[in-house]
Amino acid sequence: RELAIELATPSRPITARQLAGVVLKNALYAKSRGEYNKRRQRWVNAIPPETKSVVRQAVVQTLQGEDHDARRTAASLLSKIAVIDILTESWPELLPSLMNIVQTGAKPLKLAALLALQYICEDLQTLDEDVSE
């Protein structure tokens, strides 16, 4: 929760914001299938819904923020959350929200939303390949 707030706070130094996003991303993702499953299960079962909501809102807020580097970090983190939440149908408004940004947002926001969608597709593809092996 605190890391998500750090990421979303424009007055914080960009390096601190990026670090917060990377630490959060690494709390959700691991290259090892076993470790990834543990982290995914922790997000699904152990994190309170209110905390997940704060994290999701902070990431989307950052994705729509002014700082290019923060938007890129948010897009990367968003993809890790999205893969888990898409598979568990826990964040049904995410994809429509991203599509709305693509259709109506200013150019930098459109690019950030498209980047997030790209990362989500890549992560879903990677997950599918891992499961197929």
Side-chain angles (χ1 to χ4, degrees), residues 56-81:
R56 291 175 183 134
Q57 289 172 0
V59 173
V60 171
Q61 175 185 330
T62 306
L63 189 71
Q64 297 179 66
E66 303 252 336
D67 190 279
H68 171 75
D69 293 326
R71 287 194 308 264
R72 288 185 65 81
T73 301
S76 178
L77 172 57
L78 183 90
S79 73
K80 302 308 182 197
I81 297 169

